[in-house]
Amino acid sequence: CLFSHLIRFKLQCGLINFQILSANGKVVNTGALSYNKINTANLKSGMYFLILSKENGESLLTKFVKK
């Protein structure tokens, strides 16, 4: 199912860039949010860190598990 490979957000702020890092800190995906979604279909199962960055320099770090 395609929807199991998406991370969805409810954001109302301009351009948001993202980075996904593996559990050991390697960058495995980067880009800009498209329609407040990130496709994780290319990621293997495991724990990842997600960094969201706004244009003004603010950022948020969170973790997620890909099943």
Side-chain angles (χ1 to χ4, degrees):
C1 176
L2 177 62
F3 295 113
S4 65
H5 298 295
L6 296 175
I7 299 174
R8 297 176 183 267
F9 300 91
K10 291 186 178 182
L11 300 172
Q12 298 291 329
C13 33
L15 179 65
I16 304 282
N17 292 308
F18 71 88
Q19 285 188 317
I20 298 177
L21 292 81
S22 64
N24 65 5
K26 179 182 173 190
V27 176
V28 294
N29 197 358
T30 62
L33 283 186
S34 177
Y35 301 103
N36 288 339
K37 294 181 259 181
I38 297 174
N39 188 333
T40 62
N42 64 330
L43 299 179
K44 296 179 182 177
S45 296
M47 187 180 79
Y48 294 89
F49 295 97
L50 173 64
I51 302 171
L52 299 174
S53 303
K54 292 170 51 175
E55 291 176 293
N56 67 3
E58 290 180 54
S59 62
L60 169 75
L61 170 67
T62 190
K63 64 182 176 181
F64 68 96
V65 175
K66 167 74 186 265
K67 294 185 178 185

